[in-house]
């Protein structure tokens, strides 16, 4: 019987182990992918820390997945756009929702599924997470699949780029506007790139370290402010305002940091009647003291928030942007690691984003070896 390897996390703050399991024979309507790359993201890092309450251990992680079709069940299968899937096709896949609740069926926003789980199929379905040599997509009614015409090292950005697409679509940057992006991790950089393509004229990026800020310039940043060099939040706010027209503040600020205190600082960057879009705080990092009179009413600010990749439509848009190749996606993937190093990847995400002697930007797992 053919087998494949998958990474299992036994418990929160526990151990990662590479285990071998029998490969399933695809049933009608299902798809078996041979994994190319799986991106490591904050969801994986927070699950390890025990901060995602829907995780049931042991758990199989990895949801930013691209792989090549190994086999389909009887009758074949098609992607979201109706294109038939053939062996060798590169596919971006997303799943984990119920398909039955109000959010899934009526709103068509599976990311907001009230029954969504981090555990995917659990140990009863060992190829239900992307940190594995294979991925078995056995729930076609609740799985999003999109065939991609781009290298795997670009296609693996589909999930974080979809997050950026959702945020930019809702915030609507306009020609002539000045935006600020707080944070220059993967989501921040991709949000910057999409916002500039959507029409924003001037972009200021606040973040660190220097290596990431260099990539931010490649993605369209006109000004970068290094928080390592400007450690005081008041000084940073003054530096940001000095770079906006008339010194009055930005038209639109994107919060992509993921730390609650950064949220209040971001609001200080916004001009009167400006907008603030928070997309980095997907997990609870604590409370802040918010003064509605000063932070909201006095500034006439519009506050918005969005959680993850909201819709199938945004995922399709992300795929088209990736295939067009008009942004420097080649700068994004800093690491491709084997299954045995999933623990190192999660450790870097939960510490200083430094791995193998260099700054990590987007860490990926390459279960079957490095890819282009």
């Amino acid at each position: 019987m053919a087998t494949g390897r998958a990474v299992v996390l036994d418990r929160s703050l526990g151990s990662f182990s590479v285990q071998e399991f029998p490969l399933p024979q695809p049933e009608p309507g299902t798809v078996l992918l041979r994994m190319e790359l799986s991106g490591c993201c904050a969801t994986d890092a927070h699950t390890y820390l025990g901060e995602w309450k829907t995780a049931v251990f042991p758990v199989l992680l990895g949801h930013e997945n691209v792989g090549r079709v190994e086999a389909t069940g009887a009758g074949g299968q098609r992607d979201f756009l109706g294109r038939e899937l053939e062996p060798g096709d590169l596919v971006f896949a997303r799943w984990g929702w119920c398909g039955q609740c109000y959010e899934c069926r009526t709103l068509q926003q599976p990311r907001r599924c009230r029954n969504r789980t981090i555990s995917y199929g659990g140990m009863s379905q060992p190829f239900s997470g992307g940190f594995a040599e294979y991925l078995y997509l056995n729930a076609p009614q609740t799985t999003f699949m999109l065939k991609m015409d781009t290298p795997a090292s670009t296609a693996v950005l589909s999930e974080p780029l979809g997050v950026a697409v959702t945020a930019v679509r809702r915030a609507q940057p306009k020609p002539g506007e000045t935006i600020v992006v707080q944070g220059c991790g993967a989501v921040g950089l991709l949000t910057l790139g999409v916002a500039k393509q959507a029409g924003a004229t001037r972009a200021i990026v606040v973040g660190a370290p220097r290596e990431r800020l260099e990539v931010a310039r490649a993605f369209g940043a006109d000004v970068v402010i290094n928080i390592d060099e400007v450690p005081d939040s008041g000084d940073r706010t003054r530096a940001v305002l000095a770079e906006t027209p008339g010194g009055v503040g930005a038209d639109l600020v994107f919060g992509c940091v993921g730390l609650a205190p950064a949220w209040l600082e971001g609001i200080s960057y916004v001009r009167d009647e400006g907008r603030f879009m928070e997309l980095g705080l997907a997990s609870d990092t604590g409370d802040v003291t918010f003064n509605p009179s000063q932070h909201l009413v006095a500034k006439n600010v519009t506050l918005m928030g969005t959680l993850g990749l909201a819709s199938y439509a945004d995922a399709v848009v992300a795929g088209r942007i990736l295939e067009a190749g008009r942004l420097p996606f080649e700068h994004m993937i800093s690491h491709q690691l084997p299954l045995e190093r999933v623990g190192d990847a999660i450790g870097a995400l939960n510490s200083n984003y430094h791995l193998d002697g260099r700054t990590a930007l987007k860490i990926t797992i390459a279960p079957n070896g490095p890819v282009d």
Side-chain angles (χ1 to χ4, degrees):
M1 177 180 290
T3 62
R5 299 183 304 150
V7 175
V8 179
L9 174 61
D10 60 347
R11 57 186 173 82
S12 62
L13 299 175
S15 300
F16 292 97
S17 62
V18 181
Q19 301 181 24
E20 196 159 350
F21 301 93
L23 275 181
Q25 291 296 316
E27 297 179 357
T30 68
V31 178
L32 181 67
L33 300 182
R34 186 177 189 271
M35 283 297 299
E36 294 271 292
L37 289 174
S38 183
C40 298
C41 87
T43 298
D44 305 307
H46 292 307
T47 301
Y48 172 79
L49 295 174
E51 295 175 354
W52 286 106
K53 304 310 178 185
T54 59
V56 179
F57 295 93
V59 68
L60 300 109
L61 298 177
H63 63 274
E64 297 183 355
N65 298 318
V66 290
R68 296 198 178 274
V69 175
E70 182 80 1
T72 60
Q77 186 54 276
R78 297 177 181 273
D79 77 349
F80 180 73
L81 297 179
R83 298 172 296 186
E84 188 170 355
L85 298 179
E86 302 284 356
D89 284 344
L90 187 70
V91 173
F92 161 62
R94 191 73 172 90
W95 69 100
W97 47 85
C98 72
Q100 300 299 319
C101 68
Y102 172 77
E103 289 79 8
C104 286
R105 293 177 65 87
T106 303
L107 297 182
Q108 290 289 296
Q109 294 184 4
R111 183 61 178 82
R112 303 190 62 81
C113 172
R114 64 185 65 186
N115 302 314
R116 185 172 177 265
T117 175
I118 296 297
S119 299
Y120 310 122
M123 294 301 291
S124 64
Q125 298 177 26
F127 296 106
S128 59
F131 297 163
E133 291 177 329
Y134 294 89
L135 184 65
Y136 185 38
L137 305 172
N138 66 342
Q141 299 306 314
T142 57
T143 299
F144 176 88
M145 294 179 288
L146 190 67
K147 186 157 57 173
M148 303 290 292
D149 183 18
T150 188
S153 58
T154 298
V156 74
L157 300 172
S158 294
E159 175 82 9
L161 183 61
V163 173
V165 167
T166 295
V168 171
R169 171 178 58 79
R170 293 191 59 205
Q172 298 184 0
K174 301 175 180 63
E177 288 194 328
T178 294
I179 66 167
V180 175
V181 177
Q182 282 183 288
C184 49
V187 170
L189 291 171
L190 294 171
T191 300
L192 164 66
V194 176
K196 287 297 289 280
Q197 286 200 334
T201 297
R202 183 170 174 80
I204 303 164
V205 174
V206 182
R210 175 182 52 81
E211 294 87 348
R212 287 185 173 188
L213 292 173
E214 291 173 357
V215 179
R217 289 194 180 279
F219 270 82
D222 299 286
V223 177
V224 298
I225 297 173
N226 190 331
I227 64 174
D228 291 336
E229 298 173 357
V230 189
D232 180 76
S233 62
D235 290 341
R236 287 195 295 269
T237 296
R238 286 184 283 273
V240 168
L241 297 182
E243 294 291 346
T244 63
V248 298
D251 301 288
L252 170 62
V253 175
F254 291 96
C256 306
V257 176
L259 295 173
W263 184 70
L264 284 181
E265 182 178 330
I267 292 175
S268 73
Y269 301 161
V270 184
R271 67 166 173 81
D272 188 82
E273 294 192 351
R275 289 120 53 217
F276 183 96
M277 166 60 78
E278 177 60 52
L279 62 150
L281 283 168
S283 64
D284 188 348
T285 63
D287 297 332
V288 295
T289 301
F290 178 74
N291 185 317
S293 173
Q294 296 302 309
H295 295 133
L296 180 63
V297 176
K299 291 172 67 72
N300 296 299
V301 170
T302 298
L303 300 180
M304 298 171 281
T306 186
L307 178 64
L309 168 56
S311 70
Y312 302 129
D314 289 339
V316 172
V317 171
R320 289 171 177 164
I321 292 173
L322 290 168
E323 290 176 341
R326 293 173 187 167
L327 291 171
F329 299 118
E330 67 276 8
H331 294 304
M332 292 294 299
I333 306 302
S334 59
H335 296 76
Q336 293 189 28
L337 303 179
L339 292 176
E340 292 79 7
R341 297 196 62 195
V342 167
D344 294 338
I346 300 303
L349 296 184
N350 282 325
S351 58
N352 61 359
Y353 281 77
H354 205 70
L355 185 61
D356 296 340
R358 64 185 189 276
T359 296
L361 210 170
K362 188 62 180 176
I363 303 173
T364 61
I365 303 301
N368 293 290
V371 302
D372 294 331

